[in-house]
Amino acid sequence: MDIVYYLVQNTLPVAVALLLVALGGMFSERSGVINIALEGIMLCGAFAGCLFVHFIEKNSLPAQLIFVLGMLVAAVAGLIFSLLLSWAAIHMKADQTIVGTALNMLVPATVLLFSKMFFMSDGVTTNTRFYIREVKGLGDIPVIGKLFFQNTYLSLYIGVVILIIATIVFYKTRFGLRLRACGEHPQAADSVGVNVYTMRYAGVSISGVLGGLGGFFYAVGVMDGNVNGHTGVAGFGFLALAVLIFGQWKPIQILFASLFFAFLRTLAYSTTLIPFLKALNLNQDYYKMLPYVATMVVLAFTSKRSRAPKAEGIPYDKGTR
Amino acid sequence: MDNYIIEMLNITKVFPGIVANDNITLKLRKGEIHALLGENGAGKSTLMSVLFGLYQAEEGEIHKNGKKVEINNPNDANDLGIGMVHQHFKLVDVFTVLENIILGVEPNKMGFIQKKEARKKIMDLSEQYGLKVNPDALIENISVGMQQRVEILKMLYRENEILIFDEPTAVLTPQEIDELIEIMRGFAAEGKSILFITHKLNEIMAVADRCTVLRKGKYVGTVDIKDTTKEELSRMMVGREVNFKVDKSEAKIKEKVLSVKNLSVASEHHKNLAVNNISFDVNAGEIVCIAGIDGNGQTELVSALTGLSKMESGQIILCDTDITKANIRKRSKAGISHVPEDRHKHGLVLDYSLEDNMVLQRYWEPKFQKKGFIKKREVRKYANQLIEKYDVRSGQGPTTIARSMSGGNQQKAILGREIDKEHKLLVAVQPTRGLDVGAIEYIHSQLVASRDSGKAVLLVSLELDEVMNVSDRILVIYEGEIVGELDPKKIDVQELGLYMSGAKRDKSKGE
């Protein structure tokens, strides 16, 4: 039973990071802009957030307050960085895949340059302990308490709140309806007076905010508060894209997809604790490939029935019939 | 003083390479049905897009109730009470009917959509005007006729009083057209003003009060329908006399070209066979028409003939060669030319230039390539020949992107390409769908010319007039079976209709 608790407790922070980034991707892609740059946005948020924490943690502020402040900085950084994509893809009608790729290359290089210049290292490290041993009161609840309120991070609860808000905004509001229309049939949206450019800017900006948050949550919850320009976010931005596709561009399915991938990753890093897998005596590295191999397999099998937003990737031009 | 609700004065709109609207004036009275008539590419849709705010005119003014107004986007048009049903519906496939209707004017509290409120209003309108819809159905699952009702409800939901219909009947069945005409009359009786773009003269005579005619971007005139005739309208539209009868001599039937034996094709939509054990021949020098109501297996039959899809069983023989298992290029080389049903999907690569489209099936011939490199000069020369020979009009000649051309000219380009290519059998599927009188006349004459030059022509058509006028022999298809072989000279439209609706069938055929 302890193994189960351990796996769940370790899966959730990973899943939250994936979930937020994939939700961000959902807003961007369903508004019609492919966001390959999620990887870059994540790293940008992670670096900005951790850098902020690095400087502020000398003051004796409560750890969770620092976490929230760092999170906000990461969100703003992600937002600003995503504007580069919006501007190129929406305003200048550039090819979205190429812009995204360029942005992805830009961030790790910048992080390295910056870190070498100021810290003489490959990244930035922080020392604050954001880890929550146990949530007072709730941690004592049998089973549930152990699963969700012990050995975790604040990111988990923030992630749940964001998921709920995102789902409601997406399906219940005027904004959500218009955003989705722009990703499916921008001409239709335009003909009823919806400003396609504005909606797409909004979609990409939300992906910037959520991507930045997700990056920070990854740095804190998965990498113990460290960011490194070489390893970056270990392909989590791309994994989030896979989650997005596996989740069919829908929030609740994205939740389950991110849990699936996060669980595989946790499993891969916990093989020594599971007697059966330990007995196989395979090289650890094979297990670590698991989430990435699963991505390929899952996408190969689900892509046939997957239905991307119809107008995704096509710059909107009023003139086309 | 006339009571004009909308006046479009001296509108000029220029696109690269083409003046779409050249100093056009259109005046719409309150409560009238005003038809806007013109050939494809005459500038009707452009003019309406200017009125609806999708395009801005370079010159000219728009007045509403005598006052000058600025319409810079569809929101402005909507605020002035102008609504539009576009030719290609502007509906989001994966949204429900309700979501599509309210998009852009969502009833909301603090940004949260109030679906209940919207539903009530939609159901009230639906009842009041007899526009039956299911508000929770997804657009992709409903018929084209119902999609159009959704578009109309969109305008009513916005309480528009000036309604623009852009070629509303092109996609409808005869029954749906009658319904639509009734609905339009109802709107006019209520004081709404209707602008109705079309090139179907019968409909104008049936429903419109007045008609404005455009030709090649220029204003020709405005006439009262009660003072005019179909012939006069067509003369105004085309600029010359139009021949509604197809000129053709007796068919000189020669050798057998195509022989189809016991052909069966599975359906993509249901478990039954779409084409069920069909056998027929087509001879050189005759036009054989497959007549039937849409969706009775015509599409599948043609796909199997041309190699676009696989057949379940049967045999296809072209001039003594069994092509049952041949792929598309082999069939094309063996002598099948194909004017496809969906010209955008199977006829042209829309984002290629016209010249590249002209050699789509032939770029590999030594005439057009050398060691894998396309001989651009030869291609252009050839494209120019076809453009001239088949009167294909476009903004930039052979370098025009196919997408930017009008439907009629796209079709002429395809027809020219297919006829000009070495062939023995021409398969033409609804070759005149969505085209204007002038283009229809031209295409019919080309089909007859092809026949007279000794080719076999297999025509698939849904239009009764076309079936009766063009063909030498009619095969009626009903639920995937051929239920009658008829001589167009010996039957009338009513009888043909009975066969097409399955009420009558030859004993010798099937069963």
Side-chain angles (χ1 to χ4, degrees), chain B residues 434-449:
Chain B
L435 304 189
D436 55 73
V437 199
I440 290 175
E441 187 192 15
Y442 182 80
I443 283 170
H444 284 167
S445 70
Q446 287 296 332
L447 291 179
V448 172

Side-chain angles (χ1 to χ4, degrees), chain A residues 172-174 178 185 193 310, chain B residues 75 91 93 104 106 108 111 113:
Chain A
K172 296 288 175 192
T173 66
R174 179 176 60 179
R178 292 181 173 189
H185 196 334
K310 237 187 219 160
Chain B
N75 277 340
L91 297 172
D93 276 357
E106 306 85 350
N108 67 88
I113 296 174

Side-chain angles (χ1 to χ4, degrees), chain B residues 121-133 153:
Chain B
K121 189 169 168 190
I122 290 169
M123 292 322 281
D124 287 351
L125 286 170
S126 154
E127 203 155 303
Q128 185 185 346
Y129 293 98
L131 293 160
K132 246 188 254 158
V133 292
L153 279 169

Side-chain angles (χ1 to χ4, degrees), chain A residues 168 172-175 177-178 180-181 184-185 187-194 307 310 318-321, chain B residues 52 54-55 74-75 86 89-95 99 102-106 108 111-113 154 158 404:
Chain A
I168 293 174
K172 296 288 175 192
T173 66
R174 179 176 60 179
F175 172 78
L177 186 75
R178 292 181 173 189
R180 286 181 286 139
E184 286 292 333
H185 196 334
Q187 286 81 8
D190 193 22
S191 78
V192 291
V194 173
R307 194 197 169 287
K310 237 187 219 160
K318 272 175 177 284
T320 34
R321 292 196 242 187
Chain B
F52 191 59
L54 289 173
Y55 298 142
N75 277 340
H86 301 266
F89 299 149
K90 306 262 183 190
L91 297 172
V92 182
D93 276 357
V94 293
F95 279 15
E99 286 171 333
I102 63 174
L103 182 63
V105 288
E106 306 85 350
N108 67 88
F112 287 90
I113 296 174
K154 259 164 91 174
R158 289 162 171 74
S404 69

Side-chain angles (χ1 to χ4, degrees), chain A residues 320-321, chain B residues 40 87-89 167 170-171 308 338-352 354 357 360 401-415 417-418 429-431 433-435:
Chain A
T320 34
R321 292 196 242 187
Chain B
N40 286 306
Q87 185 180 1
H88 302 287
F89 299 149
E167 305 209 6
V171 292
L308 283 171
H338 178 206
V339 178
E341 178 178 6
D342 186 335
R343 54 178 164 260
H344 290 168
K345 201 166 162 192
H346 296 131
L348 297 167
V349 180
L350 286 175
D351 291 313
Y352 275 15
L354 182 55
N357 270 296
L360 275 186
I401 298 300
R403 187 185 293 282
S404 69
M405 293 164 55
S406 72
N409 283 306
Q410 288 176 347
Q411 189 72 330
K412 279 185 189 171
I414 296 172
L415 192 74
R417 177 183 78 199
E418 298 299 327
V429 188
Q430 299 182 48
R433 178 158 76 166
L435 304 189

Side-chain angles (χ1 to χ4, degrees), chain B residues 306-348:
Chain B
T306 52
L308 283 171
S309 66
K310 288 205 170 68
M311 59 190 93
E312 287 286 296
S313 60
Q315 203 180 14
I316 302 170
I317 294 167
L318 187 77
C319 297
D320 301 327
T321 321
D322 188 335
I323 56 161
T324 311
K325 294 207 165 65
N327 61 24
I328 297 179
R329 180 177 295 182
K330 284 204 181 110
R331 289 180 198 219
S332 169
K333 277 165 88 173
I336 295 186
S337 274
H338 178 206
V339 178
E341 178 178 6
D342 186 335
R343 54 178 164 260
H344 290 168
K345 201 166 162 192
H346 296 131
L348 297 167

